[in-house]
Amino acid sequence: MNDLDLMAGFRAGVAPPVPGALDAARDRLMSEAAGPDRRRGRLRFRHLAPVAAAVAAVVTVSSLLLRPSAPGTPSAEAAAVLRLAAAGARGAPALAARPDQFVYIHSIQGGATFHFDTANGVETFTPPVERERWDWSSVDGTRGAHIRQKSLEPGKDEPGADWEQAFPPCTTDRVTDCDSDVGYPRDLPTDAAAMRERLYGTPRGDNPADQGAFTTIGDIMRSHYVTPDAAAAMFEAAATIPGVTLVPGAVDTAGRQGVAVSRLERGSRRELIFEEGTYRYLGEREVATADHPAAPEGAVISYRVQLEVAIVDRTKQLP
Amino acid sequence: MPQITRSAAIADDHTVIRRSADDPEAFGAIFDRHASTVHRYLARRAGPTLADDLTAEVFLAAFRARGRYDLTQPDALPWLYGIAANLLRGHQRSETRQYRALARTGVDPALDGPADLVSERVTAAAHVRALAAVLARLSVREREVLTLVGQAQLSYPEVARALDIPVGTVRSRLHSARQRIRRALADFPELDLTNGADA
């Protein structure tokens, strides 16, 4: 028995919906789906020839896939930095790795704590505490993962900030508490157009498409080994995302100086940071803007500096 | 060219959602498939009464956002769980109040049946009360990951998709939540919580 078994049993006996509750919910949905004018049109549509229906279906698919993007283009300065970063990465040799090896990522990171006080409804902000982190993830996703974290400010950090855990591989397709993330994705596009399509195609919940594409770059870089050519394609693609701008001045992250390109989200701006001079990818930050619900404007909400990425034979092994 | 035989199998969620762009009422099939599962998750977090209302809101929100559904995903459930978790963020006070009531009194408001069944309510075991106290103290981000893994039984990649966060973040939040539970339940050695997945 472990604590997840305990959660699986917690409120397992909750009552099913009272009779009629789901019917009412379905009625609300269906009356919205019917719409004021749609019903007539739909009925007529169903009497059309099957060919017309097939054509309509094709049109629908493309309209779902090709979402309109927000107006605007990235700023010229931001695009220039991203192209320099791409040029620096392009053509460099990729790390060799066997499927049974592990991707090792060593980083320094910090994340703010938000505490929601249910008594008064106020959310409070505690600035990030710096931590060192080591991630090992299976090259092909079949051998699990391992994380080690150590607080660099133990006096200020919460108890339990130092931790280490092995995440076992998934042995069947429906086992929870297991890990199947591929540490070394081999299918990342290496040209900008295909990468752009990939970034826009990644599901991002309800976020706008441009924001989703930009956020996906940080997500991919954070927990995977990305070959230099794929990274170059990613930065070239980023240079085409509307709303990307250059952050004025140098950005200091965990003592490293860099230049940052950023994109505004609701409540914060997300930054990708490159080393000054070399334009090597350094890491990322999230900084609160004036409309953030809890953090003051300009406060760093989270950051991460990538120190080393390597391929090793086993989890817990250092390169 | 061989004859293509039409499969009698029910269309996957993504096929239904694609179809619903043109035929909105087709979306009803998504409700029929997943409403009771979503209701159960909502009820386990916020109690059955709130779950009745929120179930309707989840599917209305999903219907309105169906144009942004990732059509490569055949199973809509993680997406629906994500919408449910998002809506629950607006009901944190109600959710945590019920955890605290259970921790304090041993009676779980979320397990209340209709009024005539009240006499059959059972008082929760001490460790369940302790668990409820931890759940009330977790951050909403930790609680989302913990309940989606522990109660909804989603895999890490599914949780990542539901909450729109990277898998590494799922791991971190889950770790932190589980650690809090184990610390709080250290006084119940009979549970033998050592047999977890931790190295």
Side-chain angles (χ1 to χ4, degrees), chain B residues 96-139:
Chain B
T96 53
R97 193 191 307 120
Q98 295 180 63
Y99 292 135
R100 283 201 306 269
L102 167 57
R104 203 172 51 243
T105 65
V107 176
D108 191 345
L111 294 182
D112 273 3
D116 56 327
L117 293 178
V118 168
S119 58
E120 293 177 24
R121 292 194 306 205
V122 240
T123 305
H127 74 264
V128 173
R129 297 170 59 179
L131 175 63
V134 186
L135 288 171
R137 285 199 306 270
L138 291 180
S139 77

Side-chain angles (χ1 to χ4, degrees), chain A residues 45-111:
Chain A
F45 176 71
R46 281 208 175 141
H47 290 100
L48 293 178
V51 173
V55 170
V58 170
V59 169
T60 300
V61 172
S62 49
S63 66
L64 277 171
L65 292 176
L66 301 173
R67 296 187 291 263
S69 56
T73 53
S75 77
E77 299 95 328
V81 165
L82 287 162
R83 282 193 210 102
L84 285 168
R90 180 69 74 187
L95 292 178
R98 294 189 314 270
D100 62 325
Q101 289 182 299
F102 289 84
V103 173
Y104 163 91
I105 300 179
H106 183 202
S107 60
I108 287 183
Q109 45 184 277

